[in-house]
Amino acid sequence: MSTSTNITKRAYLHDAIDKELLAILRADGRASVSKLATMLNISRGTVQNRLDRLVSSGAILGFTVRAHDELETDVVKAMMMIEVVGKSTNQVIQKLRGIPQLTKLHTTNGNWDLVAEIRASDLQEFDRVLSDVRTIDGVLNSETSILLRSV
């Protein structure tokens, strides 16, 4: 998947501390700067500077809440595999990024070119998302599986 966006980001080389910082934030996106500094054994100012650089470089795209699956019983979750025509992958990706119910988008190998994670509030919205994706110029084929439960 292309990482280019309409916003120009500054280049920033990521080191082992940045990678560890990102790993901690993936597990606890609400960790305070003080907690991060203690866990990384660096100063709070250094943590804040690194966070600022990670955000401005585009390495961190945003901060979000991950709710426990038991709290999201009314959410329709699915995985959609997408086949793209020829060299239109970048154009298709840009269109897919405009659909908010597609929470993640991955390139892949094999029969499918892209895999999209879908979260919809109900089946009607889910059906609309499927239709929206399938009508994008460059989408040749798709297959979707609704996720029933996590095991």
Side-chain angles (χ1 to χ4, degrees), residues 17 21 33 42-53:
I17 293 173
L21 176 58
V33 172
I42 58 178
S43 73
R44 290 180 4 186
T46 300
V47 169
Q48 188 61 59
N49 287 338
R50 285 176 178 267
L51 283 172
D52 292 344
R53 280 186 293 202

Side-chain angles (χ1 to χ4, degrees), residues 1 6 13 19 36-37 59 65 100 103 114-116 118 122 128 131 140 149:
M1 184 165 97
N6 293 336
L13 299 176
K19 290 176 183 176
L36 293 168
V65 172
T103 58
L114 302 168
V115 175
I118 302 171
D122 55 35
R128 192 189 86 253
S131 177
L140 180 64
R149 68 182 171 102

Side-chain angles (χ1 to χ4, degrees), residues 81-84 107-115 141-143:
M81 284 66 68
I82 303 166
E83 183 180 1
V84 176
T107 58
T108 187
N109 66 328
N111 294 331
W112 303 103
D113 299 302
L114 302 168
V115 175
N141 192 16
S142 68
E143 181 178 317

Side-chain angles (χ1 to χ4, degrees), residues 22 25 28-31 36 51-52 54-55 60-65:
L22 290 170
L25 288 171
D28 181 6
R30 294 184 52 176
L36 293 168
L51 283 172
D52 292 344
L54 289 167
V55 170
I60 293 178
L61 300 175
F63 297 87
T64 186
V65 172

Side-chain angles (χ1 to χ4, degrees), residues 2 9 27 31 33 61 70 88 150:
S2 170
K9 299 289 183 178
V33 172
L61 300 175
E70 291 177 14
S88 61
S150 297

Side-chain angles (χ1 to χ4, degrees), residues 29-98:
R30 294 184 52 176
S32 69
V33 172
S34 296
K35 180 178 178 181
L36 293 168
T38 300
M39 293 175 77
L40 294 168
N41 198 29
I42 58 178
S43 73
R44 290 180 4 186
T46 300
V47 169
Q48 188 61 59
N49 287 338
R50 285 176 178 267
L51 283 172
D52 292 344
R53 280 186 293 202
L54 289 167
V55 170
S56 68
S57 72
I60 293 178
L61 300 175
F63 297 87
T64 186
V65 172
R66 290 181 358 219
H68 194 283
D69 285 342
E70 291 177 14
L71 296 174
E72 296 187 319
T73 56
D74 295 336
V75 176
V76 179
K77 296 178 272 187
M79 300 298 283
M80 180 182 230
M81 284 66 68
I82 303 166
E83 183 180 1
V84 176
V85 175
K87 297 181 180 181
S88 61
T89 304
N90 288 336
Q91 293 84 358
V92 170
I93 289 171
Q94 291 304 316
K95 294 284 187 180
L96 292 172
R97 284 184 176 160

